[in-house]
Amino acid sequence: IEAWNRKYDGWAPGRAGMRLSDQLKVVPFFGLDFHSRRQFHPLGMLVDVDGVETAASIVEGLLARRCRPFAFGIDGRRLMHGPGYSLARSAEASRRALRPAVRRWRGFRGRRSG
């Protein structure tokens, strides 16, 4: 279950995905829709593999649940509950509040240089 998708959920894990992964006791996945450099975010999955990294060894690691989410270089599960989650939610709320002003500024800056 994708517990966090940067494009959809923003800077914090999504509540529905987290709740489902907790209820079903499955590995939470963190995903990234990377279509442009503006969408880069240090978010993804780490998969432990036996030997060389191949498509087959990665699939084997996923099926064996030898994987974990990460964000900002730390175990992503730390951002799904407690203080880490509160911090991520606050950052996302701030980002959403500032988004209209940033878009206006980008538009203004583009008109000035053109």
Side-chain angles (χ1 to χ4, degrees):
I1 293 176
E2 190 171 50
W4 188 355
N5 179 291
R6 165 58 183 98
K7 180 83 172 156
Y8 182 79
D9 298 312
W11 289 1
R15 289 182 177 103
M18 284 184 358
R19 188 173 27 253
L20 275 174
S21 66
D22 286 346
Q23 286 173 353
L24 299 174
K25 306 226 184 305
V26 297
V27 175
F29 268 71
F30 288 4
L32 180 66
D33 291 349
F34 188 64
H35 299 279
S36 74
R37 65 187 172 123
R38 284 186 39 220
Q39 294 172 332
F40 178 75
H41 202 71
L43 183 69
M45 294 297 295
L46 294 174
V47 181
D48 296 327
V49 299
D50 293 328
V52 179
E53 295 172 4
T54 64
S57 67
I58 291 170
V59 170
E60 181 184 323
L62 291 170
L63 291 173
R65 297 174 58 133
R66 294 189 320 259
C67 56
R68 62 191 178 286
F70 76 91
F72 307 103
I74 63 171
D75 187 326
R77 294 170 291 196
R78 292 177 55 188
L79 297 173
M80 292 180 65
H81 303 284
Y85 180 68
S86 297
L87 180 63
R89 291 293 339 147
S90 295
E92 173 57 13
S94 297
R95 184 192 73 83
R96 287 182 189 245
L98 291 171
R99 184 170 44 191
V102 169
R103 285 185 175 163
R104 281 193 304 276
W105 177 76
R106 284 183 180 149
F108 171 74
R109 191 178 65 165
R111 287 191 301 273
R112 284 189 61 208
S113 64

